[in-house]
Structure formats: C-alpha cells, structure tokens
Amino acid sequence: MTLSDFFGKFKSWSLWGNLMAMAVTVLLLAVGVKLGLDIYTHHGESISIPNLLHKDIGEAQDVADHLHLEIEVVDTGYVKRLPPGCILEQSPAPGEHVKSGHVIYVTINAAHTPTLTLPDVIDNSSLREAMAKLTAMGFKLGTPEFIAGEKDWVYGILVNGKHVVYGDKVPVDAQLIIQVGNGMRDVNDSVNYVDPTYPEEDNFSEGGDVDEFQEVKEPPTEQMEGTPEAAPTTKTETNNQ
C-alpha cells in the first residue's frame, strides 16, 4: 500500500460515518447513565423530616407514607404521663432534609411499666454501698428509715410500704425506702448472762495460793538392847551475835 492509498481511505464516507455513529453511541450512554443515577439517588430532591414526637406510631406511619419516607422502631422507653405507643425520640431530628425512601428511626413508649431486679443488698451491705449500687442500676431512692440495729447496716427495703427481697421485680418508677440500723439495741432483745465458774476452793488458801505445807511426824525412838534409855534432850536456842 502506497502512502497516497493510505491517506485516501480517510476520504471515505463510510469511515467517517462509523466514527460519528460510535461518538453518538458513547454520548447517549453517558447521558443515560447520568439520568439513571439521578433517578436512583433522587438528585435534587429534598424532603423535610416531619415532627413525629408524641404522635401515635400509627399516625406517624401515615405521615411518613405520604412523604415517601419509612419508619423503623429501634427502642422502647417509658414515660408515665404519655400513652403507650407514642413516639418519644426520632432520628433524624425534625426539620432535617433528606431524600425519599429515607428511614426515620424512632423510640416509642412502652405499654407496661418496665421493672428492675432487686440486687442482693439486704443484710449484705452498708447503707452507702447499697445506695451506690441501687442508684447505678436506675432505682429511685427515698429517705432511709432508721431502725434498731447495727449502725449503717441494711436490714430491709420497702416499696409502697411492703418489704421486698432479693430477686423481686420492682417498677422503675417505684421509690425504695432502705431500712438501716441506727446503732442502738432494741429493748425487746434479750441478753443472756452466764455466771463465771471457779475451781474448787479446797485447793486454794485464803490468799488464793496453793498451800504446800505438809505435816511431818517424828519417827518413834527405839531403845537399843543393853543401852540405858537416853535422857531426853532439851533444845536450846542460841543467839548469833
């Protein structure tokens, strides 16, 4: 192929037609991809999050459906003055702008009062230890009631005037009254006195010491055969100067 033949091919209408067709195809593909992404991602769309707080979950669902949003319950709480099923918290917050199909996460009010299990603090801890443990678990504490007993020792817990024990389920909004010792003995407590025992008095002298004195008897004198009886001797005392 000569050089003139090679450059002559660029003058062919079929070559330029194919190149133009390829360019148009690429352009159409690029525009199609962009439009598809805009539709999929809702480009330019902005929906303001409605205020769903204290609304019933059913009513909140209707509002979300109308705005093409979704609601998902992620947790429950408890507020005594609010009806069961109403929304306590929501995320995103009201007023934020999102696209359609966005999920709003909500916390709703429980239908029943939640309970907590009473730990082992009765007759097993001091007042300070019991208060710290119960408060950390979420219990509400009232003014302690002092009773006769060891000072600052926990003897019981009252809920609505009734005694509760380890393992009982207590409502979270109930107030606990700790019964704690005031350091004084109850007048009804009995005290047993035991008399001390001592050894027999025969083994002790008047001064409390053992009398070790023993009586020694003089042995009888024997007379020797043929020997005159010895005269009795008298004991004389001599004074050392």
Side-chain angles (χ1 to χ4, degrees):
M1 177 183 295
T2 62
L3 187 60
S4 60
D5 293 337
F6 176 77
F7 285 104
K9 290 183 178 291
F10 286 98
K11 298 179 181 180
S12 172
W13 288 103
S14 60
L15 176 61
W16 289 105
N18 290 333
L19 292 176
M20 292 180 63
M22 292 175 60
V24 171
T25 302
V26 172
L27 180 61
L28 292 176
L29 287 174
V31 173
V33 170
K34 184 179 185 304
L35 292 176
L37 289 174
D38 289 344
I39 295 173
Y40 179 77
T41 60
H42 305 284
H43 179 70
E45 185 180 23
S46 178
I47 301 175
S48 179
I49 295 291
N51 187 0
L52 304 177
L53 296 177
H54 298 172
K55 291 183 182 295
D56 181 76
I57 184 63
E59 180 183 356
Q61 187 66 59
D62 293 339
V63 174
D65 291 342
H66 180 71
L67 297 174
H68 303 289
L69 300 174
E70 297 181 10
I71 289 183
E72 182 176 341
V73 178
V74 294
D75 199 3
T76 58
Y78 181 73
V79 178
K80 188 175 183 179
R81 59 183 178 82
L82 295 178
C86 75
I87 295 178
L88 302 178
E89 297 178 0
Q90 70 174 84
S91 179
E96 293 189 18
H97 289 81
V98 296
K99 299 173 182 179
S100 62
H102 194 85
V103 179
I104 303 175
Y105 301 97
V106 299
T107 299
I108 63 173
N109 200 30
H112 304 285
T113 305
T115 59
L116 297 172
T117 302
L118 190 71
D120 186 15
V121 296
I122 301 175
D123 203 21
N124 193 35
S125 60
S126 66
L127 176 61
R128 184 175 62 178
E129 294 171 344
M131 292 182 67
K133 189 170 187 177
L134 294 173
T135 303
M137 294 180 63
F139 287 98
K140 296 181 180 179
L141 303 180
T143 304
E145 177 184 334
F146 289 90
I147 61 176
E150 183 179 346
K151 185 175 180 60
D152 291 336
W153 189 250
V154 176
Y155 287 96
I157 294 179
L158 299 175
V159 176
N160 297 326
K162 297 182 180 179
H163 283 277
V164 291
V165 296
Y166 166 60
D168 284 351
K169 301 292 185 179
V170 180
V172 294
D173 58 345
Q175 189 178 68
L176 275 61
I177 304 298
I178 301 177
Q179 292 182 317
V180 58
N182 57 8
M184 300 179 63
R185 184 176 63 85
D186 194 338
V187 295
N188 296 323
D189 291 343
S190 59
V191 179
N192 296 326
Y193 293 97
V194 179
D195 294 332
T197 57
Y198 299 99
E200 296 182 2
E201 298 179 356
D202 294 340
N203 296 332
F204 292 85
S205 63
E206 183 178 355
D209 297 329
V210 178
D211 187 2
E212 298 179 353
F213 174 78
Q214 295 182 358
E215 182 180 359
V216 179
K217 297 181 178 181
E218 182 181 359
T221 57
E222 297 180 356
Q223 294 181 357
M224 298 181 60
E225 183 177 354
T227 303
E229 183 178 355
T233 61
T234 60
K235 185 178 181 182
T236 61
E237 295 183 357
T238 61
N239 293 329
N240 295 328
Q241 297 296 327

